[in-house]
Amino acid sequence: MATAVIVSPHWWETNPGTLLVVPIDHVEHLYVLPDALTGPLLATCRRAARALVEVEHCEGTSLRQHNEPAGNQDVWHLHLHVIPLWTGDALIQGEHRLRPVELADQHTFAAGIREAMCWRDGVSPW
């Protein structure tokens, strides 16, 4: 089962560079995630988080995932947010304002993430 990393079209104002990790096949939410996809999905999250550290020079990362309306799910395809963090940043302190990201900026950021996640000469960057 395959997964993908997508640059989010919205970033937290104080935390630029949010990524979304998604299964390629449709999975509505965590409750119906096939066991066979759990490992690959988390492995992709790990690779995306390491790429964020390399590209954004962040001090940490966070994963977020929401299920059903009461859980604040608003996109009906399972996805995990991989968010860059810095010590004392506003997101951890409860500041949750999103801003739209220009498509050109998404493409530029994606190029850096893609490079950081690529295997070079058959060798994993990690």
Side-chain angles (χ1 to χ4, degrees):
M1 301 193 114
T3 60
V5 178
I6 302 166
V7 175
S8 176
H10 294 90
W11 293 350
W12 304 109
E13 285 185 348
T14 60
N15 300 72
T18 298
L19 299 173
L20 304 173
V21 176
V22 301
I24 299 296
D25 293 334
H26 179 64
V27 176
E28 188 166 303
H29 46 62
L30 183 65
Y31 309 141
V32 296
L33 177 67
D35 288 345
L37 186 52
T38 303
L41 193 65
L42 193 55
T44 302
C45 287
R46 182 192 67 229
R47 292 183 67 216
R50 293 189 72 162
L52 273 178
V53 170
E54 183 176 323
V55 171
E56 286 295 298
H57 307 290
C58 54
E59 299 171 341
T61 59
S62 181
L63 296 180
R64 284 194 178 183
Q65 193 275 320
H66 307 281
N67 298 290
E68 301 190 282
N72 203 30
Q73 183 175 4
D74 61 354
V75 174
W76 298 98
H77 184 92
L78 178 71
H79 60 285
L80 287 92
H81 300 253
V82 185
I83 305 165
L85 300 173
W86 289 266
T87 302
D89 72 29
L91 184 65
I92 293 299
Q93 296 174 13
E95 183 67 38
H96 295 103
R97 285 194 312 256
L98 287 171
R99 68 173 176 87
V101 180
E102 295 292 330
L103 189 57
D105 294 335
Q106 292 175 48
H107 284 281
T108 300
F109 185 70
I113 293 295
R114 191 177 307 109
E115 174 66 22
M117 292 184 74
C118 280
W119 289 54
R120 296 170 184 96
D121 299 322
V123 178
S124 168
W126 308 295

